[in-house]
Amino acid sequence: MTQIAFLGLGAIGTPMARHLAQPPFTLTVWNRTRARADEFARSTGARAAATPRDAATGAVFVVTCLPTSREVESLLDGADGLIAGMASGSMLIDCTSGDPATSRRIAARLGERGIGFVDAPVSGGTVGAERGTLTVMCGGDAESFERARPVIDAFGEKLVHCGPVGTGHALKSVNNALLAVHVWATGEGLAALAKAGVSPKIALDVINASSGRSNTSQNLFPERVLTRAFPRTFRLALLDKDVGIAAGVAREQHVASPLLQLTSELFRAAHTLLGEEADHVEAVRVIEAWSGVEIT
Ligand code: NDP
């Protein structure tokens, strides 16, 4: 049995961790709000730890799934921190949609202690996490990727080695920035069409049979916007963070084109206006408010 620690029982972390609460793994969980870890332990037989250090002690692999790399970094130090519990030869697998620069810094610090690091952000949403069919984008050396594979395999279906540390996070951020571009562009286009007298339903029927279609136009708008359902599956705050990371990667790499920066500014504005709990698709509400039209 391989001992695993999982930290961060949020919307996607919880279903991911469930796959690790069974043989050939033994699982210890830690969550900032202790009640969630206790509840998880009750329903799965995993052990709930009192501190990150307690969770990491004896673990061969520590898996984190937190909002940003900042929170991951904040758990490393101090008497109750991860580093105090992790042994040389163990490995941190970070499934946060984090940022490359912070991950490189974390990897270097852990490396000094003989602890491995792989960034392994996921896509596929909470449904993919429940089904164990996530796509996992991994950054790290090839040997670390192979070592981490059996753990990641428990919740992932498509495992991709992207390159050195941080490249998983870079790829994940660009993927999500494309989602943000699609949501905003589809919302803006449909608002213009609605004001020009074209029903959004008719517009989507045409777009989805034509070259402008995307997952956003085929699924998100018909199911969430036109119905006004706006279910809360992935927080706008997290997408804002992801687009900001992608814009940062583009700046760092001297890509002299403005779309990612502009999208980042639009999603920062939407996040500020709609708050922490809004779903990412609700960004469309901002376009509607600015345009004085509802996409229904
Ligand atoms: P949630 O907001 O649902 O959960 C966040 C988790 O992080 C909770 O366990 C929370 O603990 C913990 N946390 C927050 N702040 C701190 C802190 N300062 N110190 C310690 N723990 C903290 O997020 P998700 O589960 O949705 O997302 C997690 C990561 O996965 C993000 O990077 C996100 O971008 C990514 N992701 C999410 C997807 C989704 O569909 N939800 C899809 C793909 C990637 P507490 O219980 O105490 O609040």
Side-chain angles (χ1 to χ4, degrees):
M1 300 282 260
T2 305
Q3 195 170 326
I4 312 280
F6 196 104
L7 291 85
L9 297 171
I12 197 150
T14 300
M16 286 166 67
R18 277 210 186 93
H19 295 284
L20 295 166
Q22 48 201 323
F25 307 110
T26 53
L27 182 65
T28 300
V29 292
W30 177 84
N31 193 63
R32 180 181 62 174
T33 304
R34 174 72 195 248
R36 280 188 174 169
D38 289 338
E39 172 53 33
F40 183 91
R42 259 194 304 280
S43 65
T44 62
R47 181 174 81 84
T51 63
R53 176 190 183 159
D54 176 19
T57 301
V60 185
F61 295 95
V62 173
V63 184
T64 42
C65 191
L66 300 173
T68 75
S69 294
R70 229 182 2 263
E71 283 82 36
V72 178
E73 198 168 33
S74 77
L75 294 188
L76 295 182
D77 296 310
D80 288 335
L82 278 177
I83 285 177
M86 289 183 80
S88 173
S90 63
M91 177 181 284
L92 177 61
I93 301 172
D94 182 21
C95 294
T96 304
S97 297
D99 71 88
T102 309
S103 287
R104 287 192 294 266
R105 197 162 61 229
I106 292 172
R109 291 199 52 209
L110 296 178
E112 289 165 8
R113 291 166 172 79
I115 301 167
F117 179 88
V118 169
D119 48 303
V122 303
S123 73
T126 51
V127 172
E130 276 154 25
R131 294 181 181 154
T133 57
L134 293 171
T135 295
V136 190
M137 295 148 259
C138 300
D141 59 56
E143 191 194 330
S144 300
F145 172 64
E146 287 308 326
R147 262 188 71 206
R149 187 192 283 278
V151 179
I152 298 172
D153 224 12
F155 49 79
E157 185 173 70
K158 185 176 171 71
L159 278 58
V160 182
H161 184 212
C162 305
V165 167
T167 53
H169 284 153
L171 176 46
K172 169 69 187 174
S173 72
V174 170
N175 176 71
N176 280 22
L178 294 179
L179 163 65
V181 167
H182 285 300
V183 168
W184 201 278
T186 307
E188 196 172 305
L190 291 184
L193 286 171
K195 293 188 93 167
V198 183
S199 139
K201 190 175 178 308
I202 289 174
L204 281 173
D205 279 348
V206 172
I207 289 165
N208 288 334
S210 310
S211 51
R213 70 181 179 272
S214 63
N215 179 56
T216 297
S217 67
Q218 290 179 300
N219 296 307
L220 297 182
F221 271 71
E223 292 166 13
R224 300 175 178 215
V225 180
L226 266 56
T227 59
R228 313 310 285 171
F230 293 111
R232 293 188 167 174
T233 58
F234 177 48
R235 290 192 299 126
L236 173 63
L238 294 173
L239 186 56
D240 169 26
K241 174 258 307 180
D242 291 332
V243 190
I245 293 170
V249 171
R251 272 196 311 275
E252 217 176 88
Q253 300 305 327
H254 307 290
V255 174
S257 166
L259 186 56
L260 292 180
Q261 310 298 332
L262 177 59
T263 309
S264 169
E265 283 165 31
L266 292 168
F267 275 78
R268 176 58 44 87
H271 175 186
T272 304
L273 288 166
L274 299 174
E276 292 307 309
E277 298 309 320
D279 185 69
H280 65 298
V281 180
E282 290 185 80
V284 172
R285 292 190 197 274
V286 172
I287 301 170
E288 292 178 332
W290 287 350
S291 317
V293 68
E294 208 168 79
I295 300 169
T296 51

